[in-house]
Amino acid sequence: MNLPTVATRVQSGNGQGAVARLRLLLPEGRTLPDTAWRHRHHAMVGVLFGEAVGLLIFSLAEGYSWLHSLLHPAALVPIGLIALLIQDRRRAASVLVSLGLITACALLVHTWHGAIEAHFLFFVTIMVLALYEDWMPFLVAVAYVVVHHGAMGALDPGGVYNHPDAIAHPWKWAVIHGGFVAAAGVASVAAWRLNETVRAQAQES
């Protein structure tokens, strides 16, 4: 796979305005070698399976019925299996895992009755998804957080939030949470950009 070199990107950005210069600071995406991508993909599917089991146990501990608790892994495990089956289609597989991992976060929040502590898993997941080094699964995850917090916050406020202002204004807090999730991804994007630069320099040399 030919990676865009640092020099090439700088030259392409010269004289093209602020947008082009900003683009130089951002990673290209989809430059991860196939072998490295597969290793990361398998690891993230493993995380998804682990979260499915963890949600089953936690749901039972919270007093939910077996039927309710089993619905969590029933929703997540097929996503992981399909993501493994279609791993030759990198973008589709990574988006599927992204949806699965963020859904696991949403299920934890629901199971924990909107506890603030449950929302921390969203931040961790965004950083994990940056390991794909692909914009699509990363942005899908951020969008999911905003839509989930707003839509589900409006339909079932107590299942997403546990404080009065958020329950009264779910979309306001959806934007707030989405903003913090996006901010949590900034460090990951910076590391991702550095990884691309190192690979490009190695290819040049």
Side-chain angles (χ1 to χ4, degrees):
M1 181 182 295
N2 292 325
L3 303 178
T5 65
V6 177
T8 299
R9 293 189 67 191
V10 170
Q11 290 171 2
S12 66
N14 286 340
Q16 294 185 17
V19 174
R21 289 193 293 273
L22 175 62
R23 186 68 188 86
L24 293 174
L25 300 176
L26 298 174
E28 282 285 325
R30 305 182 71 184
T31 62
L32 198 64
D34 285 336
T35 301
W37 184 91
R38 286 179 182 270
H39 282 249
R40 298 184 188 193
H41 181 62
H42 293 167
M44 280 188 260
V45 171
V47 170
L48 180 59
F49 289 157
E51 290 185 353
V53 174
L55 279 167
L56 170 63
I57 296 170
F58 185 72
S59 184
L60 291 171
E62 285 292 298
Y64 290 94
S65 68
W66 270 97
L67 178 59
H68 184 109
S69 301
L70 284 169
L71 289 175
H72 296 162
L76 300 176
V77 170
I79 293 175
L81 293 175
I82 295 171
L84 290 175
L85 289 174
I86 65 169
Q87 62 183 354
D88 288 337
R89 299 166 58 189
R90 283 175 46 160
R91 173 155 282 178
S94 59
V95 167
L96 200 55
V97 171
S98 175
L99 291 171
L101 289 173
I102 292 295
T103 298
C105 298
L107 289 172
L108 177 63
V109 170
H110 161 74
T111 304
W112 212 342
H113 312 289
I116 292 298
E117 292 80 1
H119 290 260
F120 295 159
L121 185 59
F122 283 109
F123 300 100
V124 175
T125 300
I126 288 292
M127 290 186 282
V128 169
L129 288 171
L131 293 173
Y132 272 127
E133 298 190 18
D134 187 346
W135 282 108
M136 187 62 71
F138 189 76
L139 295 176
V140 163
V142 174
Y144 188 125
V145 173
V146 176
V147 173
H148 164 263
H149 282 56
M152 291 306 298
L155 294 171
D156 180 24
V160 181
Y161 304 109
N162 67 346
H163 60 94
D165 191 62
I167 291 173
H169 306 96
W171 282 107
K172 166 189 168 183
W173 283 90
V175 173
I176 292 172
H177 278 251
F180 276 107
V181 165
V186 169
S188 298
V189 169
W192 165 12
R193 178 70 180 88
L194 289 172
N195 287 339
E196 286 188 351
T197 300
V198 170
R199 285 197 299 269
Q201 289 173 341
Q203 188 181 60
E204 285 179 328
S205 63

PDB file of all heavy atoms in Angstrom, residues 5 13 113 146 155 182-183 198:
ATOM      1  N   THR A   5       3.316  10.640   1.293  1.00  0.00           N
ATOM      2  CA  THR A   5       4.471  11.086   2.053  1.00  0.00           C
ATOM      3  C   THR A   5       4.199  12.437   2.676  1.00  0.00           C
ATOM      4  O   THR A   5       3.341  13.193   2.224  1.00  0.00           O
ATOM      5  CB  THR A   5       5.708  11.185   1.144  1.00  0.00           C
ATOM      6  OG1 THR A   5       5.469  12.203   0.183  1.00  0.00           O
ATOM      7  CG2 THR A   5       5.988   9.864   0.443  1.00  0.00           C
ATOM      8  N   GLY A  13      -0.547  21.136  -0.047  1.00  0.00           N
ATOM      9  CA  GLY A  13      -1.256  22.114   0.759  1.00  0.00           C
ATOM     10  C   GLY A  13      -0.793  23.541   0.551  1.00  0.00           C
ATOM     11  O   GLY A  13      -1.500  24.481   0.887  1.00  0.00           O
ATOM     12  N   HIS A 113     -29.039   2.631  34.685  1.00  0.00           N
ATOM     13  CA  HIS A 113     -30.055   3.655  34.963  1.00  0.00           C
ATOM     14  C   HIS A 113     -29.530   5.081  34.759  1.00  0.00           C
ATOM     15  O   HIS A 113     -29.836   5.986  35.542  1.00  0.00           O
ATOM     16  CB  HIS A 113     -30.598   3.498  36.390  1.00  0.00           C
ATOM     17  CG  HIS A 113     -30.981   2.089  36.731  1.00  0.00           C
ATOM     18  ND1 HIS A 113     -32.085   1.457  36.192  1.00  0.00           N
ATOM     19  CD2 HIS A 113     -30.382   1.166  37.539  1.00  0.00           C
ATOM     20  CE1 HIS A 113     -32.168   0.214  36.655  1.00  0.00           C
ATOM     21  NE2 HIS A 113     -31.143   0.013  37.474  1.00  0.00           N
ATOM     22  N   VAL A 146     -24.268  11.389  19.927  1.00  0.00           N
ATOM     23  CA  VAL A 146     -25.175  12.543  19.950  1.00  0.00           C
ATOM     24  C   VAL A 146     -26.616  12.105  19.720  1.00  0.00           C
ATOM     25  O   VAL A 146     -27.531  12.506  20.449  1.00  0.00           O
ATOM     26  CB  VAL A 146     -24.753  13.585  18.898  1.00  0.00           C
ATOM     27  CG1 VAL A 146     -25.758  14.738  18.853  1.00  0.00           C
ATOM     28  CG2 VAL A 146     -23.358  14.121  19.217  1.00  0.00           C
ATOM     29  N   LEU A 155     -36.931   9.950  24.695  1.00  0.00           N
ATOM     30  CA  LEU A 155     -37.890   8.845  24.830  1.00  0.00           C
ATOM     31  C   LEU A 155     -37.868   8.225  26.217  1.00  0.00           C
ATOM     32  O   LEU A 155     -38.913   7.855  26.768  1.00  0.00           O
ATOM     33  CB  LEU A 155     -37.588   7.771  23.776  1.00  0.00           C
ATOM     34  CG  LEU A 155     -37.807   8.181  22.313  1.00  0.00           C
ATOM     35  CD1 LEU A 155     -37.265   7.108  21.384  1.00  0.00           C
ATOM     36  CD2 LEU A 155     -39.293   8.419  22.056  1.00  0.00           C
ATOM     37  N   ALA A 182     -16.015  13.932  21.386  1.00  0.00           N
ATOM     38  CA  ALA A 182     -15.165  14.371  20.280  1.00  0.00           C
ATOM     39  C   ALA A 182     -13.822  14.888  20.796  1.00  0.00           C
ATOM     40  O   ALA A 182     -12.772  14.617  20.206  1.00  0.00           O
ATOM     41  CB  ALA A 182     -15.876  15.460  19.480  1.00  0.00           C
ATOM     42  N   ALA A 183     -13.863  15.626  21.912  1.00  0.00           N
ATOM     43  CA  ALA A 183     -12.622  16.132  22.499  1.00  0.00           C
ATOM     44  C   ALA A 183     -11.724  14.989  22.962  1.00  0.00           C
ATOM     45  O   ALA A 183     -10.496  15.050  22.832  1.00  0.00           O
ATOM     46  CB  ALA A 183     -12.938  17.061  23.671  1.00  0.00           C
ATOM     47  N   VAL A 198       5.104   8.473  10.664  1.00  0.00           N
ATOM     48  CA  VAL A 198       6.229   7.526  10.853  1.00  0.00           C
ATOM     49  C   VAL A 198       6.241   6.491   9.740  1.00  0.00           C
ATOM     50  O   VAL A 198       7.305   6.183   9.172  1.00  0.00           O
ATOM     51  CB  VAL A 198       6.098   6.854  12.228  1.00  0.00           C
ATOM     52  CG1 VAL A 198       7.110   5.685  12.331  1.00  0.00           C
ATOM     53  CG2 VAL A 198       6.358   7.852  13.342  1.00  0.00           C
TER      54      VAL A 198
END
